[in-house]
Amino acid sequence: MEYTLPKLAYAYDALEPYFDTQTMEIHHTKHHQVYIQNLNAALAKEPVYAQRSLEDLLSNIPGLPESLQKVIQNHGGGHYNHTFFWTILNPRGGGLVGSELESEISKTFGSFATFQEDMNVAAKSVFGSGWAWLVFDKNTGGLRIMTTPNQDTPLMHHALPIIGLDVWEHAYYLKYQNRRPDYIDAWWHVINWSAAQDYYAVAKK
Ligand code: MN3
């Protein structure tokens, strides 16, 4: 089975003025597409591994043949991270108030405002390209914030993503240039918290 580019649930201009149309279109049709092409090309040569789910492969990178490890980490991770990212965006934002996730965030971080500050610090702190995440940590059974370099996924760290922010320059440079903090601020307006709550409910099972 070949991986294909997932359709977005909203138009490329739907997240304006926070995420601009041109960035959304290039990010989805060019950047994400390249990860998929490279992932498919590598798995075409390893039919046994192609039958396993991407989540399984990404959770077990050290157990893969050496020829697959880097490509799964970078391009498999790129496909997984972007597929996830599109789903936690929503032009209307919202969906947090009154959710189980909201109370778990308050319990873990003290308040939503503290959580937001901690996420902002994490997203700003990524040196070069990478991601900031709120994850469900499978070891502790609780929430935590983490960052990953490049296209590394939380799955590599026994964690499941609840929300995540792509802080590669390709995600914001056209609109925000070097102003990553402005891009991070904009992201809070377009988070699909209903989707995040769904991820949380599945993760804690
Ligand atoms: Mn990206």
Side-chain angles (χ1 to χ4, degrees):
M1 182 206 75
E2 293 231 315
Y3 290 99
T4 54
L5 192 65
K7 284 211 162 48
L8 304 189
Y10 40 82
Y12 291 124
D13 63 0
L15 306 178
E16 293 271 8
Y18 305 107
F19 288 9
D20 66 285
T21 307
Q22 191 184 13
T23 297
M24 284 300 295
E25 182 163 7
I26 294 173
H27 200 175
H28 182 241
T29 62
K30 308 285 189 211
H31 291 277
H32 188 170
Q33 183 64 48
V34 168
Y35 298 120
I36 294 170
Q37 278 162 221
N38 291 327
L39 173 63
N40 283 335
L43 287 175
K45 294 182 217 147
E46 297 280 359
V48 172
Y49 292 91
Q51 289 169 23
R52 288 166 56 176
S53 74
L54 185 56
E55 287 79 1
D56 178 27
L57 295 173
L58 287 166
S59 303
N60 297 287
I61 288 173
L64 302 179
E66 240 176 75
S67 61
L68 268 186
Q69 289 182 5
K70 270 291 158 200
V71 71
I72 293 295
Q73 184 172 351
N74 292 334
H75 297 279
H79 177 44
Y80 177 87
N81 288 341
H82 287 85
T83 300
F84 175 83
F85 185 50
W86 310 132
T87 67
I88 58 99
L89 299 174
N90 180 335
R92 293 168 304 281
L96 181 66
V97 175
S99 68
E100 189 188 11
L101 179 57
E102 182 189 42
S103 49
E104 191 62 23
I105 285 172
S106 296
K107 205 174 91 188
T108 306
F109 299 95
S111 70
F112 186 80
T114 307
F115 158 68
Q116 201 169 16
E117 268 171 48
D118 292 354
M119 269 305 284
N120 287 342
V121 168
K124 286 176 203 167
S125 78
V126 175
F127 183 75
S129 298
W131 292 75
W133 307 95
L134 172 68
V135 300
F136 179 84
D137 188 319
K138 292 202 271 186
N139 295 325
T140 64
L143 296 175
R144 73 179 173 98
I145 290 169
M146 70 185 296
T147 63
T148 57
N150 304 310
Q151 294 298 350
D152 287 9
T153 74
L155 299 180
M156 294 167 59
H157 305 280
H158 305 287
L160 297 167
I162 305 300
I163 58 170
L165 180 61
D166 186 346
V167 293
W168 284 57
E169 281 188 347
H170 70 224
Y172 63 87
Y173 202 84
L174 288 176
K175 183 175 173 77
Y176 295 103
Q177 293 84 48
N178 61 325
R179 303 186 308 278
R180 189 193 287 182
D182 292 353
Y183 163 69
I184 299 168
D185 287 343
W187 174 59
W188 292 103
H189 294 271
V190 290
I191 297 177
N192 181 350
W193 285 105
S194 303
Q197 165 61 42
D198 291 345
Y199 286 121
Y200 176 66
V202 171
K204 67 178 251 218
K205 269 195 189 140

